[in-house]
């Protein structure tokens, strides 16, 4: 298997990215550190279906999408209104590094975003003040690896953690990588 196109794009255009962001040093260019993927299954687990079956199905689907097996997250508190007890499995999480991280982001930008319904671009508020990009995906079937006939569709979120950046730098960095952001249109009156 060859290396990710996104990683090659970053390494080839490092000087270009540095010039476009007006940075004096090559080491001050924002760098991707990891991607944290999180799936919350509170309602699906407490809805009456067997929690083990739901977790198993979602875990298998998520493993196909991200390329590694996720870890169960368990409730730390018992909350009666949410019908949770201490130690009850309520979600899944995974952390991607290296090649899997770049492959996931590359597939997300080039394949999954165009498949989403009524997609007009990511909002600039997806990038926080530390420069990390957080995106929520409502339906996991936008990824071609996921089975479309899944009995339980789920949503998940991922956070692309960037080292040594702020909101403005990271926003430009993600735009240079090909992330489509909504263009602001102002009403001229």
């Amino acid at each position: 298997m060859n290396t990710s196109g996104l990683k090659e794009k970053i390494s080839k255009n490092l000087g270009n990215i540095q010039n476009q962001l007006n940075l004096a040093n090559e080491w001050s260019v924002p760098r991707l550190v990891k991607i944290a993927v999180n799936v919350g299954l509170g309602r699906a687990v407490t809805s009456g279906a067997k929690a083990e079956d739901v977790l198993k199905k979602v875990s298998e689907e998520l493993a196909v999408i991200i390329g590694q097996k996720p870890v169960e997250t368990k409730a730390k508190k018992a909350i009666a209104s949410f019908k949770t007890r201490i130690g009850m499995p309520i979600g899944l999480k995974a952390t991607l590094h290296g090649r899997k991280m770049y492959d996931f982001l590359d597939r997300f930008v080039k394949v999954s975003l165009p498949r989403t319904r009524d997609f007009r671009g990511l909002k600039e508020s997806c990038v926080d003040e530390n420069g990390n990009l957080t995106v929520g995906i409502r339906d996991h079937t936008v990824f071609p690896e996921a089975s479309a006939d899944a009995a339980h569709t789920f949503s998940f979120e991922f956070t692309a953690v960037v080292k040594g950046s702020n909101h403005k730098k990271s926003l430009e960095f993600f735009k240079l990588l090909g992330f489509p952001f909504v263009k602001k249109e102002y009403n001229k009156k």
Side-chain angles (χ1 to χ4, degrees):
M1 206 181 221
N2 60 359
T3 58
S4 173
L6 191 62
K7 186 174 183 178
E8 289 176 0
K9 186 175 183 178
I10 292 172
S11 61
K12 282 182 184 178
N13 297 324
L14 193 61
N16 188 21
I17 293 171
Q18 178 183 346
N19 290 337
Q20 288 191 0
L21 294 176
N22 295 326
L23 301 174
N25 190 349
E26 179 181 311
W27 292 101
S28 60
V29 174
R31 301 194 191 278
L32 291 171
V33 178
K34 65 182 177 180
I35 293 179
V37 180
N38 183 26
V39 179
L41 296 172
R43 286 188 183 173
V45 172
T46 60
S47 66
K50 286 191 174 184
E52 297 82 25
D53 294 339
V54 172
L55 278 168
K56 183 179 176 186
K57 288 177 186 175
V58 173
S59 178
E60 290 170 357
E61 284 287 320
L62 190 62
V64 169
I65 292 170
I66 64 174
Q68 75 183 34
K69 185 179 177 187
V71 178
E72 278 186 10
T73 56
K74 299 187 182 237
K76 295 179 183 178
K77 286 182 166 183
I79 303 173
S81 60
F82 293 125
K83 298 180 184 174
T84 59
R85 303 293 172 252
I86 295 175
M88 179 185 233
I90 57 170
L92 300 166
K93 68 177 180 178
T95 304
L96 305 174
H97 294 278
R99 187 168 143 212
K100 289 181 183 178
M101 170 182 67
Y102 288 110
D103 286 342
F104 176 78
L105 273 183
D106 200 27
R107 283 184 291 118
F108 176 70
V109 171
K110 292 181 180 175
V111 179
S112 300
L113 277 179
R115 291 181 62 165
T116 56
R117 175 179 256 174
D118 296 332
F119 180 72
R120 291 181 177 31
L122 298 172
K123 294 181 181 177
E124 290 184 0
S125 62
C126 291
V127 179
D128 65 7
E129 62 188 30
N130 295 325
N132 303 324
L133 174 77
T134 303
V135 178
I137 299 166
R138 290 187 184 197
D139 188 7
H140 79 285
T141 58
V142 296
F143 287 91
E145 301 88 10
S147 62
D149 62 338
H152 177 73
T153 60
F154 60 91
S155 58
F156 66 95
E157 72 173 8
F158 72 88
T159 301
V161 179
V162 178
K163 182 179 181 182
S165 188
N166 58 21
H167 176 78
K168 184 180 176 186
K169 278 189 206 175
S170 285
L171 194 59
E172 291 301 316
F173 176 68
F174 285 120
K175 284 180 182 177
L176 291 172
L177 293 182
F179 282 78
F181 285 94
V182 177
K183 294 178 182 175
K184 290 185 179 180
E185 297 179 12
Y186 297 102
N187 295 331
K188 294 181 181 179
K189 291 185 180 181

